[in-house]
Amino acid sequence: MRLLLLNHIENAVESLRSNRTRTGLTTLGVTIGIASITMILALSGGATKIVTNQVEELGGNIAVVRPGETKPPNQIENITSPQSNAYATSTLTERDVDTIRGVPNVQAVAPLMVVSGSVRSGDQSPAASTVVATTPDLQTIVNFPIRDGQFIDTTTNIDTAVVGSQLSVDLFGTDSSIGKTFQIRGKTFTVIGILKPLNKPINYNNVDFDHAAIINLESGKSFNQGIAQLQQIDVKATETDKLPGVISTMRQTFDKTHNGEADTTILSGEDLSRPTSQYFYAIAATMTAVAAISLFVGGIGIMNIMLVSVAERTREIGIRKALGASNGHITFQFLIESLAMSIGGGISGYILGYLFAFTLSRSLLTFDPLFSWEIAAVTLGVSAVVGTLFGLYPAIRASRKDPIEALRQYH
Amino acid sequence: MNNAVDPTTPVIALHGLTKRYGIGDAEHTVLDGVDLTIKKGEFIAIMGPSGCGKTTLLNILGLLDRSNGGDYKLNGKSVDSLSSAAHARIRSDQVGFVFQNFNLVPRLNVIENVALPLTYRGVRKTKRLQAASKMLATFHLSEREYYMPWQLSGGQTQRVAIARALVNDPSIVLADEPTGNLDSRSSHVIMEELSDIHKRGNTIIMVTHNPSLTTYASRVITMLDGRIDTDTKDPRAPINQIDTTKRRLDSHSEPTKTEEKAKKVSKKSTKTKSKSTRKGTKK
Ligand SMILES: Nc1ncnc2c1ncn2[C@@H]1O[C@H](COP(=O)(O)OP(=O)(O)OP(=O)(O)O)[C@@H](O)[C@H]1O
Ligand SMILES: [Mg+2]
């Protein structure tokens, strides 16, 4: 068949241009849908990129163990749904930490236990603070820049803490707070070190260390009847190319020590970089819903307008058929028109999505949205699918018209 | 043309072709058993009173409409056996249609309208527009190329419609009153163009109410109530021009002055039908 792509495109543009308002309003649904998708992808991509950079900075030899079932990586569910076991008891214990220590080629292991409860000094009780109980090994893995004092270690008194720069300011009004004391769940701790501002609220530890107090695991356990409730175990291999071996050994050992129950997840590299914060999930889930609904509504709008357009141009269809157009030509002519609308909506949505993403990242977030050809390809693909899906029925209806019946139509 | 057909096979062969509209009591027969054989290279003029089924016949010949009964063989093949895609192909490659009511696409300007049939033959845009422009020039419409259809006079619209029908060099031209809106000089310009196409060996079937134009034709057919009444090719049905004209007068509006004048000429020409007569009428 002679497809006449260029001719159809010209024709479609001409016809859409002669109905500017109608075209604009029709594409709005697709625009909003694509804008939401662009925003989700750009922001999640941006967040992922920060963590990737952090992991790469560390040499790419970090793996983390998290409680909960292994989810297949790379699924949209991973981005959009909160972790299902967010409120369940952790399946990771101190025993697992010891097990990992025994794995060959492991340089350092650090458990992370997030302690619930407020941090208080006098009448100051900053809301955004986190208390993390861990071992001195965390410093080997993360390599925090210390502004003043030292990191927690095994020799100092267990009721000591290292505080993030912002927490120090929030609690004491200054970032030089060595020797000052504060309360965690009523228990008094002494500050022995202050971290430099990190400005990395998103990282693979899921802790904003600028707002965190780091205490010894033993102190942490004392808040929880002596039991360690681990959110995560960080593992550092001696070398990057030893990491896969370390991971597979860990998997095998966990299989044994957890009685064959797949209740832990080991992440490294790419998987580790995927954003996990609840905050992010909430935005992504809302945006996905907005995208799905508006794409559907937008698609129906396109279908509706295309049906009107086919009815309006019945006579033209008859003339074209009389002059030699086949059913295929007519189908294609109208399909191109609906595609032009959906792709036009897609392009404006893409631009709008980045505008929103930048506004959001400048005002609320600490990272830039990601630019990549994949995002452009996905948005283009989605809008093309919408245009085809909802444009096909009107186009086929147009092509099925009997030439003589169509020619008899009066306007 | 593109498909090698045995020169003895008629281009068009109709057998007992019927067309009915409506159902039950409202049913009426528009074409009532039309038998007609047209050979390649014939120039046929169809005459007959308004409402006798001329347009309906042309629509069926041009594969725009389907008959209810009878047989239509195009180039020896029954058209009912062909798919709609094949019909489209035939319309695109072989047929040029001039509609009684012109049927220009209102959204497209004159030159785009004329170039439209070439689009479906896969001709590139610049070539298309060149061909259309050349065609428009033959009909003295070069200055109207970028006019929209609603900016044209009736006669100009008609000439554009003819230019469009002829632009893809069709082997069968179906023209439904191509000169209906034109003065005699413009009519002759168009008839000259049709003769030219005819001389190149193509088949032309033209409906007209103007007897003077039948001088260009090689065969004149008159229709009456959905049937072929007279046919200059058929020896059993000798032409009876006065009779048909009379019937037309009975049932329809009065003929115009030009028609009256032309009647005499046509009578003479249908009898002799020689080239010299045709030249005589032209001057
Ligand atoms: N779609 C239709 N439904 C019902 N009747 C129709 C339809 N189309 C045409 N007719 C009838 O068929 C008859 C023949 O119509 P047609 O257009 O073929 O006439 P015609 O010979 O071309 O006349 P004219 O010289 O006025 O153009 C008319 O009586 C008309 O009313
Ligand atoms: Mg007619």
Side-chain angles (χ1 to χ4, degrees), chain A residues 408, chain B residues 21 28 30 48-56 100 176-177 209:
Chain A
R408 282 200 187 110
Chain B
Y21 283 113
H28 59 285
V30 177
S50 174
C52 71
K54 303 180 298 293
T55 300
T56 310
Q100 190 169 11
D176 202 346
E177 293 193 44
H209 285 305

Side-chain angles (χ1 to χ4, degrees), chain A residues 2 10 315 320-321 408, chain B residues 21 91 103 120 125:
Chain A
R2 305 147 179 169
E10 245 172 48
R315 198 180 169 83
R320 284 176 184 271
K321 283 196 153 187
R408 282 200 187 110
Chain B
Y21 283 113
R91 287 196 293 264
N103 277 334
Y120 297 114
K125 189 171 182 186

